[in-house]
Each structure stands twice: as C-alpha cells, then as structure tokens.
Amino acid sequence: MHSDAFDLKALIRPVVDFPKPGVIFRDITPLFQSPRGLRYVADQFIERYVEAEFSHIGAMDARGFLIGSIIAPPLNKTLLLFRKQGKLPADVLSEGYQTEYGEAFLEGHADSLCEGDSVLIFDDLIATGGTLLAAANLVRRTGAQVFEAAAIIDLPELDGSRRLQAAGVPTFCLTEFSLSEY
C-alpha cells in the first residue's frame, strides 16, 4: 500500500545535551535542507491561514524569521521582525521574558503596529512560551491584537502552549515531541 503521508518529524534532528546537559535540542536545519519538507511546512501554514482575517505576520528572531519570510508573501501580509535586544535600528518597544537559561529581551519597532491591526506570531518551536508571550505583550502594547501563535514544533511538557492559551493567545503547531522522544 502506498502512502502519501509526509513524515515531518523525520526532518527534525534531535541533538542530545545541547545547549546544556539533559536538553534534547530540536534542530530544524534538515527541514530547511529538504525542498519537499520546506514546501510541506509552507503549504500547511498557507492552507491554514489563506482565508484568515489578520493583517501582519510577526516572526521571532531568528528561526521564526525563516518561516515568516516564506509564508508572508503568498498570504499578502506585512512581515514584522521581533528581534533580540539591541538589533533593531529605530525606536523600539522592549519586553523582558524568562528563558530556560536566564532572562532575555525581545524588541519590536514602536511604529510597526497600531490599534486595529491583528498579528499572527511565528516561531520555530513552542517550549516554555516565553518568546511568544513577550511578542504577544509587545503586540498588545501597541493596541493591536494577537490572532494566533504558530510554530512547527510544540513541546507540550514544557507548558508553553498552555501558558499562551491562558494569556488569551490561541496556538497552532504542525507537530509535537515529548521531552524524551528521539
């Protein structure tokens, strides 16, 4: 029997003990090295959002940029970049958040959104949800709304999707991994 099912997980490489012992890093590099895999991911997101009502795509530094820049043009949406502290050249809004490794800051241009805008925020992965929650807070501080948070991978045991949903941010991921799954 022939199956057309696409195995997205096969293109996500587990890297054990990176960036610190006990962590299994989910490396999406093989996905980007596969034209079919990248097309599959793009098609899945485009199909989900092609008729959705939102005005902007907000992409997280740095791997979220890859997905956001691929799906913004076919959806005819404005692409916003949420950057790590000190990377944007104009006036910024800044939001602190906790990472698995300490505190960090996410920034967005202060003039990029206004009341009435609606933003789909993208990252490669939802772990603790800190980066996407910081982006959601930045969006809301401009008077805009968060449409949804989307990622390729969810790590549900780290509660990021639950934390986002508790903050009023719906989530969508193409696949998920348990913390012990190789």
Side-chain angles (χ1 to χ4, degrees):
M1 174 188 257
H2 182 282
S3 172
D4 288 332
F6 186 81
D7 187 3
L8 178 60
K9 285 185 170 187
L11 292 175
I12 300 168
R13 174 176 38 207
V15 181
V16 178
D17 294 331
F18 181 83
K20 66 180 192 176
V23 173
I24 301 173
F25 184 83
R26 301 298 172 180
D27 180 18
I28 61 171
T29 304
L31 174 62
F32 282 89
Q33 294 170 339
S34 166
R36 183 168 181 241
L38 190 54
R39 182 62 190 233
Y40 173 83
V41 167
D43 287 350
Q44 294 301 302
F45 285 129
I46 291 165
E47 183 178 319
R48 179 172 177 83
Y49 298 115
V50 68
E51 295 180 357
E53 296 291 326
F54 62 93
S55 57
H56 295 72
I57 291 175
M60 303 306 111
D61 194 347
R63 291 179 299 272
F65 290 178
L66 300 169
I67 301 301
S69 66
I70 290 168
I71 69 159
L75 292 176
N76 198 32
K77 302 298 182 190
T78 300
L79 179 64
L80 307 174
L81 303 180
F82 290 101
R83 301 289 319 261
K84 295 172 182 153
Q85 189 173 31
K87 300 289 184 181
L88 290 174
D91 290 339
V92 298
L93 295 175
S94 184
E95 185 77 23
Y97 65 99
Q98 293 297 315
T99 71
E100 297 89 324
Y101 319 110
E103 186 177 28
F105 289 87
L106 191 68
E107 295 179 338
H109 278 132
D111 63 356
S112 59
L113 291 168
C114 59
E115 194 169 329
D117 289 336
S118 178
V119 184
L120 168 62
I121 53 178
F122 258 101
D123 209 349
D124 64 321
L125 163 122
I126 300 176
T128 65
T131 308
L132 288 164
L133 280 168
N137 290 338
L138 287 172
V139 167
R140 290 172 173 163
R141 285 170 55 192
T142 69
Q145 302 295 314
V146 177
F147 175 77
E148 189 166 73
I152 298 169
I153 305 163
D154 188 17
L155 303 178
E157 293 167 72
L158 295 180
D159 279 341
S161 289
R162 186 197 53 75
R163 289 178 63 215
L164 283 157
Q165 291 164 11
V169 178
T171 63
F172 174 75
C173 295
L174 296 179
T175 192
E176 67 179 43
F177 286 91
S178 70
L179 293 180
S180 60
E181 188 176 346
Y182 290 93

